[in-house]
Amino acid sequence: ADKLLYDLCLSQGIPMLGICGGAQFLHVMHGGKLYQDVDGHTGDHNMYDVIEKRVLPRISSVHHQMVILNDRMILVGACSGKSKVRHLNPTLRDEGSNRDVEAYLYREPCIIGIQGHPEYRGYDDFAQWTLNLLHKTLNENPDLHYLKGHLRIKPELLAESLAMNEQQEITE
């Protein structure tokens, strides 16, 4: 069902938001990879807003998988040194201090991923930060336009995203 919804949104140019597992799903669907298990993300911690260059003092963190930064995504939120051991698979792991991805954007096809849970009670600053990110990404995005009253990705960019997605499926 998730794949069908992703394909529908992609084909119609509908911007997508993923929270926690949804962020990981969207990242993988867009060609990204995941750490299969990470430590240090089972409680509150701070996050650095890469765009506004400020620290959010408390975000929720309950995930044991995590998106791996790649060159196609825009890093929006990160925390440094929270995880010390990141498993790529049962036998291969990455150790040491790292910049953990907490929030990201894919410009094409307008994907927003948030690894924490801004909807949890008691995370008002994180919830407001997430709403602000959504507002900026959707309302100030030159790649989007209104089509019959609905916000959509511009047709020329949508064609590029669909072609990129098809190429990815062929190579997998």
Side-chain angles (χ1 to χ4, degrees):
D2 290 342
K3 171 82 166 81
L4 290 174
L5 184 57
Y6 171 83
D7 289 341
L8 175 69
C9 289
L10 186 65
S11 70
Q12 299 296 313
I14 299 170
M16 294 175 257
L17 166 68
I19 302 288
C20 194
Q24 295 162 7
F25 172 80
L26 290 173
H27 178 63
V28 169
M29 292 307 299
H30 206 59
K33 303 220 180 286
L34 297 178
Y35 288 115
Q36 296 303 306
D37 192 35
V38 297
D39 66 344
H41 284 274
T42 55
D44 298 351
H45 61 80
N46 63 15
M47 178 183 79
Y48 182 70
D49 179 333
V50 175
I51 294 172
E52 294 184 11
K53 306 212 180 324
R54 68 181 182 103
V55 174
L56 270 76
R58 188 169 164 261
I59 68 165
S60 62
S61 188
V62 295
H63 55 95
H64 76 93
Q65 293 180 313
M66 186 169 58
V67 303
I68 298 174
L69 187 64
N70 67 36
D71 61 351
R72 292 175 50 210
M73 69 193 321
I74 300 166
L75 181 64
V76 177
C79 68
S80 294
K82 189 67 179 163
S83 69
K84 301 294 183 205
V85 179
R86 294 160 300 283
H87 294 269
L88 295 161
N89 61 43
T91 59
L92 186 59
R93 65 188 201 180
D94 177 18
E95 294 186 23
S97 193
N98 194 28
R99 192 172 196 192
D100 296 344
V101 176
E102 291 294 339
Y104 67 85
L105 299 171
Y106 280 106
R107 185 170 175 188
E108 300 100 20
C110 195
I111 290 175
I112 304 164
I114 309 287
Q115 293 240 122
H117 285 272
E119 76 279 13
Y120 284 2
R121 287 184 191 202
Y123 295 94
D124 295 344
D125 290 343
F126 186 36
Q128 189 60 55
W129 179 87
T130 302
L131 290 172
N132 290 342
L133 177 64
L134 288 170
H135 175 79
K136 287 178 193 170
T137 303
L138 297 176
N139 294 319
E140 299 173 13
N141 189 336
D143 298 337
L144 302 177
H145 72 134
Y146 281 93
L147 178 66
K148 298 181 182 176
H150 300 283
L151 199 57
R152 297 288 191 259
I153 299 167
K154 289 182 178 176
E156 60 275 12
L157 295 173
L158 181 57
E160 289 175 26
S161 291
L162 292 171
M164 189 182 313
N165 197 48
E166 286 177 19
Q167 183 61 36
Q168 176 187 324
E169 287 178 4
I170 291 170
T171 58
E172 290 176 354

